[in-house]
Amino acid sequence: MEVMVQNMGWGVKEGGWRKGPWTAEEDKLLVRYVKLHGEGKWNNVARLAGLKRNGKSCRLRWVNYLRPDLKRGRITPHEERIILELHGRWGNRWSAIARSLPGRTDNEIKNYWRTHFKKNAKVSSENPEKLRAHLLRRERLQLQQKQKQQEDQINVKKVVSFLDESETKVPTLAQMKQEILYQHASDELGFLYSMTNGYPTGSEASNEDILWDGLWNLDDFLGIIANQHTLVANFH
DNA sequence: AACACACTCAACCGCAACAGC
DNA sequence: CGCTGTTGCGGTTGAGTGTGT
């Protein structure tokens, strides 16, 4: 890796700092540092963790890649709507938008918007043929995503029926199911409300917290459920 | 199969805001 | 109050990969 990095012209030291793609070893050192010292004080990382990276680079690597609460995978259509909506309101305030999408980074959202929407605007004015091809392509991709979502829904049904079976055995699971279903429903309603009636005024931040708070991916949910499943299995 | 184009992602840079002295 | 170091943000770049022709 080190060799490859150097061949690519990366990994060159500038003022003593390494640059370019991170190695697994560097990641390990950074993670260990954060575990021991917490986030922040990034300029101490080089000294305390033995990394030859400047603080800025370490922070970026942590925030955009190593943080444990990051959500992996493609932006969902639901998230896409939120990005569009919030970008319409706030403009390029990526970090603010990212705060409304738990598990997504400003970098990720910025990248997504630039490739999908900024280009669209340019393409449409320049060449309608290109735009049509572009839209067709996107439509196909969305179709694929939709199919995946349907599979996810089937999985949710399986999980819910599992919970139904387990309710009598483990009462807390019944509670959990109720909360999850309620939260999912209120998210949808909240979003629809905001789309049709405009945005709440007054204590905006707290209202929005409620509105966006339940956007965690189904994967996370299924992960929790899987853990619960193991617990129940072990319990019996 | 080869090429061109589109898309994704990680990483860098410059600048501004903030905190501490 | 001004200086300095640190942190956070937005813009940009470039490599790698996927897809269409």
Side-chain angles (χ1 to χ4, degrees), chain A residues 51-64:
Chain A
L51 265 169
K52 295 200 168 15
R53 296 273 183 174
N54 63 23
K56 221 171 174 177
S57 179
C58 292
R59 179 191 156 269
L60 203 71
R61 182 64 175 174
W62 175 257
V63 168
N64 285 335

Side-chain angles (χ1 to χ4, degrees), chain A residues 22 24 26 68 106 111 114 182:
Chain A
W22 281 65
E26 286 176 315
D106 54 351
N111 280 336
R114 285 182 73 84
Y182 174 76

Side-chain angles (χ1 to χ4, degrees), chain A residues 166-234:
Chain A
S166 310
E167 265 174 12
T168 51
K169 298 172 190 168
V170 188
T172 52
L173 285 179
Q175 268 182 330
M176 210 176 128
K177 186 192 77 176
Q178 281 292 328
E179 281 170 18
I180 289 159
L181 290 177
Y182 174 76
Q183 172 138 24
H184 188 72
S186 60
D187 283 343
E188 288 294 332
L189 284 173
F191 187 80
L192 285 173
Y193 177 85
S194 69
M195 295 290 267
T196 52
N197 297 329
Y199 287 89
T201 54
S203 56
E204 199 176 331
S206 60
N207 281 334
E208 281 181 5
D209 284 345
I210 295 165
L211 192 61
W212 307 118
D213 213 21
L215 297 172
W216 288 94
N217 207 343
L218 218 50
D219 293 348
D220 302 333
F221 163 53
L222 291 172
I224 294 165
I225 298 302
N227 286 339
Q228 286 285 335
H229 189 280
T230 316
L231 277 176
V232 173
N234 291 338

